[in-house]
Amino acid sequence: MTISDNTTVESAIAVSGRSGNALASTPVVVDIRHTYKGDLKVDVVGPSGTLYNIHNYTGTSTDNVQGTFNLNLSNEPKNGNWRLRVHDRAGGDTGYINSWSITF
């Protein structure tokens, strides 16, 4: 999914057939390719609509937001639509969401 200048994009994962809530340390693996990660804010959006921040406009001119981020998602049901939301706040550098996953 392309991340254009000055836009917000979302990638969704639908989860069903699971019981209970997510864990207090739920791993979210993110691979975003972008040539200026300081332009980006990256959040996981739970089924309730609550935002869980992964990256907040830091790193200035370094590339990419990649890694495993352990988030406290224990207030969220496992079932529902989980979204990765990426906001690009500047011009001149674009990128894309290569992949992301959440493990319950």
Side-chain angles (χ1 to χ4, degrees):
M1 176 172 290
T2 300
I3 304 166
S4 300
D5 290 333
N6 298 300
T7 62
T8 300
V9 297
E10 290 187 347
S11 174
I13 296 173
V15 177
S16 63
R18 304 298 305 265
S19 62
N21 283 2
L23 301 174
S25 183
T26 301
V28 177
V29 179
V30 173
D31 182 3
I32 297 172
R33 310 290 172 97
H34 193 280
T35 54
Y36 200 97
K37 75 180 187 179
D39 289 356
L40 303 179
K41 181 174 188 262
V42 181
D43 295 302
V44 171
V45 184
S48 71
T50 302
L51 299 177
Y52 301 89
N53 187 255
I54 287 177
H55 178 81
N56 197 13
Y57 306 117
T58 59
T60 61
S61 65
T62 56
D63 294 348
N64 307 327
V65 178
Q66 297 170 304
T68 300
F69 304 88
N70 291 305
L71 302 177
N72 182 355
L73 304 177
S74 60
N75 289 328
E76 297 285 342
K78 291 177 186 173
N79 290 332
N81 287 317
W82 292 86
R83 294 171 286 151
L84 185 71
R85 179 180 293 167
V86 181
H87 175 72
D88 183 317
R89 70 172 177 180
D93 292 278
T94 60
Y96 59 95
I97 300 171
N98 190 49
S99 65
W100 79 283
S101 65
I102 188 167
T103 304
F104 299 112

